[in-house]
Amino acid sequence: RAAAAASPLLPARLFDAIAAVAASRAADFNEQELSNLARAFATAGHEAPELLDAIARAARQRLSEFTPQGLATVSWAFAKSAHLAWRGAVPPASAQGGRAQGGDAPSAGPPPLRAALCAELLVEGRAAALNPAELAITLWAFATAGHTGGEPYRCLGEALMPRLFPPRGLEGQAISNAAWALATARHENPRLFSALAQAAAANIDRLGALDLSNLAWAFAWSSQVPVAEHPAFYSRLGPASLVRLSDFDGGSLSNLAWALAVASPSPDVLDAVAAAALSERLAEVHGSTALNVGQLCQVHQYHLWLEERGDVAEALPEALREQARDSFLGMAQLAPSSRMQRLVARELRAVGGVRSVEEEVVVAQGYTVDLLVQHADFGPLAVEVDGPHHFLSEGSRRPTGATQLKRRQLRSSGLRLVSLPYWELNELQAQPRRGRDDLRVCSASTSSPCGPSPGHWHGATSGQWSRLLERAVRDDQRVESADDP
């Protein structure tokens, strides 16, 4: 307990000595002592892989004895340490530092400690026993590890929803942590995200720059907090960010700019004064610390958003605009075309009325369109072949914020955009035709590669493809009509 309380003050040699002794005696510690040890070393940022290995082995044998606080503490400590026993063999992009360490053998599924903790949280009453802050930090811990699947996000989210508001509701950074975790995990629960947006609006004056950025990104990426349904949050986001603008660093600032671009081109989300201040701060941050490639790509989409709004006065400096566009184009060129996209291009070339099909076409805004189809009746069509990763989760038909932003900004440039989603491509059926490729699209969770399966060939007639294209064009026309005031 003393180590946990004073961990930042203890010398590294003392931590090493404690780790060496404790690792050999981990099996003798009770659950409180195990969680205290893990927390102390995580708080201090002191690497002790052998000790964490021992704690992981001991803890997972008796997780049923841990208090709710102990479960949350162990989850947080192992996630914070980025230890192999928690994050698995390959650290996700969002993991917080730490080099590869020893621990449980890598496997296709989650490591044993994380899998055991997930199972323990599913025991009736266990997730509900965590307090709001513990629920938020446990969600964060699983999402930081790149944990996929509906659980434990479903049970933790259900436990969290009725306790988001006073008295003793979720506050400040905990709201941001929960929203970020659920969005990172691609968890689909509009009611929960709506409740988080209400809680965030009520707490927005107590949120720091990083919290505001993470909330804006989470709501934008998950596409479950529409502006029209949550004016209280979005009307306060701009002013609250403006007050703290000097506290934003490059990452949090570019995330905020991108999230605003996703939310809506309406000035209600960010007025002209705030947009000008945000543009000025982006240029200032880039001049002093240099934004990385990913951040510059977000800035480019933010600039396109300013053009959508007609905010010429709030435009970014020319040098930053050009660098952001170059980064955006460079990233697009690194992305290979998918096998599904190539198959669709081949099929569309045989459709009546289609004069030509170009693949991977870069348009004026810098976006790469999957296919540019010249059609006798419809004219030029920007065709997006939308596989599972364009949608929030496996089986979901809700586009991610990134997909929605690309669609909207392409349409705003005057392109007629049509989307061919994977489930409609999967439904195309025809009589078996020897030598045809399998047009079925693998789901995100399929373990085998998406490829031809002998004896299960599926194709589609030219007429079926023509009807699919016509339907997609009609859908685009409905979207344009809905967007036209």
Side-chain angles (χ1 to χ4, degrees):
R1 290 195 182 119
S7 55
L9 307 176
L10 297 179
R13 288 170 55 193
L14 181 54
F15 266 105
D16 290 337
I18 292 172
V21 175
S24 64
R25 299 176 55 187
D28 299 329
F29 295 146
N30 63 33
E31 67 281 359
Q32 183 68 54
E33 292 162 343
L34 290 170
S35 63
N36 280 346
L37 267 174
R39 180 165 66 91
F41 279 80
T43 301
H46 189 90
E47 293 186 2
E50 292 80 8
L51 173 61
L52 291 179
D53 288 344
I55 293 174
R57 285 191 295 269
R60 71 172 185 262
Q61 299 301 321
R62 50 181 192 269
L63 283 175
S64 61
E65 302 171 15
F66 277 66
T67 63
Q69 183 184 30
L71 294 176
T73 298
V74 167
S75 301
W76 174 84
F78 274 85
K80 179 72 172 174
S81 301
H83 189 266
L84 192 63
W86 186 257
R87 61 169 170 76
V90 181
S94 57
Q96 295 193 6
R99 62 171 182 264
Q101 299 173 334
D104 299 297
S107 63
L113 176 61
R114 179 151 47 92
L117 250 164
C118 182
E120 182 64 25
L121 290 167
L122 295 180
V123 173
E124 185 175 0
R126 288 295 263 167
L130 275 68
N131 67 36
E134 291 163 352
L135 287 165
I137 205 64
T138 305
L139 282 167
W140 175 88
F142 275 87
T144 296
H147 189 86
T148 58
E151 299 295 359
Y153 304 110
R154 182 197 59 79
C155 70
L156 292 171
E158 287 181 355
L160 180 62
M161 193 180 311
R163 289 183 280 171
L164 280 171
F165 303 100
R168 302 172 66 182
L170 206 58
E171 296 181 353
Q173 186 181 7
I175 300 173
S176 171
N177 281 340
W180 177 90
L182 291 163
T184 299
R186 303 172 81 106
H187 184 67
E188 187 168 5
N189 187 334
R191 287 180 59 246
L192 177 55
F193 273 90
S194 178
L196 283 165
Q198 293 174 49
N203 283 269
I204 205 160
D205 292 332
R206 295 190 288 275
L207 296 173
L210 183 59
D211 299 324
L212 290 168
S213 174
N214 283 343
L215 274 170
W217 175 87
F219 293 160
W221 168 257
S222 70
S223 63
Q224 296 177 76
V225 185
V227 174
E229 296 176 18
H230 296 280
F233 172 74
Y234 286 105
S235 65
R236 298 175 188 176
L237 176 62
S241 301
L242 198 60
V243 169
R244 299 162 180 77
L245 208 51
S246 61
D247 297 333
F248 283 80
D249 62 12
S252 58
L253 196 63
S254 60
N255 266 342
L256 174 66
W258 180 86
L260 290 167
V262 173
S264 171
S266 168
D268 293 341
V269 175
L270 195 72
D271 63 29
V273 174
L278 178 55
S279 297
E280 183 179 347
R281 177 62 179 156
L282 278 166
E284 179 184 330
V285 168
H286 182 56
S288 60
T289 60
L291 300 171
N292 64 35
V293 172
Q295 292 161 358
L296 285 168
C297 289
Q298 291 178 312
V299 170
H300 177 68
Q301 291 175 299
Y302 167 77
H303 170 67
L304 294 178
W305 178 67
L306 291 176
E307 291 186 334
E308 276 187 275
R309 291 159 48 106
D311 286 342
V312 179
E314 291 74 43
L316 297 164
E318 183 178 358
L320 178 54
R321 291 202 309 269
E322 291 180 356
Q323 192 170 354
R325 179 182 168 82
D326 289 345
S327 297
F328 195 78
L329 288 169
M331 288 293 288
Q333 291 169 0
L334 293 176
S337 63
S338 69
R339 179 176 178 275
M340 174 173 65
Q341 179 181 314
R342 294 192 296 272
L343 291 174
V344 170
R346 188 182 68 185
E347 296 295 327
L348 289 180
R349 290 188 178 103
V351 171
V354 172
R355 293 173 173 168
S356 65
V357 178
E358 295 179 76
E359 300 182 46
E360 298 290 309
V361 178
V362 178
V363 298
Q365 294 168 303
Y367 280 111
T368 299
V369 173
D370 291 344
L371 307 173
L372 186 62
V373 175
Q374 298 293 338
H375 195 280
D377 297 326
F378 305 129
L381 301 175
V383 177
E384 287 289 285
V385 181
D386 288 335
H389 70 281
H390 287 277
F391 301 89
L392 197 56
S393 59
E394 181 183 352
S396 172
R397 298 191 177 187
R398 182 186 298 274
T400 64
T403 300
Q404 289 186 342
L405 179 62
K406 181 179 181 181
R407 290 178 180 177
R408 196 190 76 225
Q409 292 190 330
L410 284 173
R411 287 190 175 105
S412 75
S413 71
L415 278 172
R416 173 167 285 182
L417 178 71
V418 295
S419 168
L420 300 181
Y422 70 94
W423 61 85
E424 293 191 356
L425 296 174
N426 281 342
E427 290 167 2
L428 284 175
Q429 298 289 326
Q431 295 298 316
R433 291 183 284 175
R434 183 179 297 276
R436 303 293 288 184
D437 283 327
D438 186 357
L439 291 175
R440 291 174 301 164
V441 184
C442 296
S443 72
S445 65
T446 302
S447 57
S448 60
C450 189
S453 305
H456 297 283
W457 305 104
H458 293 273
T461 66
S462 175
Q464 285 176 296
W465 279 99
S466 181
R467 287 190 292 275
L468 177 62
L469 198 59
E470 290 172 6
R471 191 276 313 151
V473 170
R474 287 195 301 271
D475 284 352
D476 177 66
Q477 291 170 337
R478 281 196 294 271
V479 170
E480 287 184 322
S481 298
D483 289 343
D484 187 350

